């Protein structure tokens, strides 16, 4: 068993995830293997109400900007291998990795030391809009 030490400090993920429109009790923390990906560690997931839907999101803090780029690259490799491919798009000046997973889309982005995104939405345009909205709400230091 692992014992988690309580430093008494605020938990970064709970502080970083926007409060607005978050589905109550939807937040989860994964020390490793978040969303079934071996490369996603120290990751929070939650759901948000957006355009009358519940939208799943994830948020992972990296130690460096370069590490974030590696996570994006691994996600891209995964989507190209097991999904229908990826494309990089720019919306509102934000760079997004659009992953076509077959029956749904994951939209991944990097903001500072954060790697985050929207997962499992069947409507590509809705997923992109939701990802842009999530990006805008994320505060970085």
């Amino acid at each position: 068993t692992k014992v988690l030490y309580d430093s008494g400090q605020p938990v970064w993920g709970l502080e970083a995830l926007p409060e607005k429109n978050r589905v109550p009790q939807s937040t989860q923390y994964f020390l490793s293997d978040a969303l079934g990906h071996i490369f996603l560690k120290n990751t929070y997931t939650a759901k948000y109400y957006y355009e009358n839907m519940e939208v799943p999101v994830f948020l992972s803090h990296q130690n460096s900007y370069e590490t974030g780029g590696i996570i994006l690259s691994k996600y891209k490799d995964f989507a190209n291998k097991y999904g229908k491919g990826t494309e990089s798009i720019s919306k509102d000046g934000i760079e997004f990795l659009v992953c076509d997973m077959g029956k749904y889309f994951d939209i991944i982005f990097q903001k500072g030391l954060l790697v985050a995104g929207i997962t499992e939405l069947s409507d590509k345009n809705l997923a992109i809009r939701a990802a842009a909205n999530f990006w805008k709400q994320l505060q970085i230091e």
Side-chain angles (χ1 to χ4, degrees):
T1 14
K2 283 194 173 194
V3 175
L4 293 177
Y5 172 72
D6 182 2
S7 67
Q9 299 297 313
V11 178
W12 80 264
L14 298 178
E15 294 285 307
L17 283 168
E19 285 285 329
K20 185 180 176 193
N21 297 327
R22 191 183 328 156
V23 176
Q25 279 83 47
S26 68
T27 305
Q28 292 184 293
Y29 173 73
F30 296 87
L31 183 61
S32 62
D33 301 337
L35 307 176
H37 298 301
I38 195 166
F39 54 83
L40 264 184
K41 301 175 183 353
N42 194 20
T43 301
Y44 285 83
T45 62
K47 289 184 179 174
Y48 285 84
Y49 297 116
Y50 183 76
E51 295 187 14
N52 300 314
M53 292 185 65
E54 285 190 14
V55 175
V57 305
F58 77 92
L59 179 64
S60 177
H61 188 275
Q62 304 304 311
N63 293 326
S64 70
Y65 191 79
E66 292 72 26
T67 308
I70 292 168
I71 299 298
L72 281 172
S73 178
K74 288 183 177 184
Y75 214 111
K76 183 177 184 174
D77 291 347
F78 176 85
N80 284 326
K81 184 172 182 180
Y82 298 105
K84 291 188 171 184
T86 60
E87 65 176 313
S88 295
I89 65 159
S90 183
K91 177 175 172 55
D92 302 333
I94 309 163
E95 296 297 318
F96 293 108
L97 177 65
V98 178
C99 303
D100 183 345
M101 301 308 294
K103 294 183 178 178
Y104 62 87
F105 293 88
D106 290 354
I107 314 292
I108 315 303
F109 60 84
Q110 186 171 2
K111 185 173 186 179
L113 296 178
L114 301 176
V115 173
I118 303 297
T119 61
E120 300 182 4
L121 286 185
S122 57
D123 182 322
K124 178 181 175 182
N125 291 322
L126 171 69
I128 293 167
R129 288 194 308 275
N133 180 267
F134 186 44
W135 187 95
K136 290 171 187 166
Q137 289 189 59
L138 284 177
Q139 303 297 314
I140 59 171
E141 294 178 8

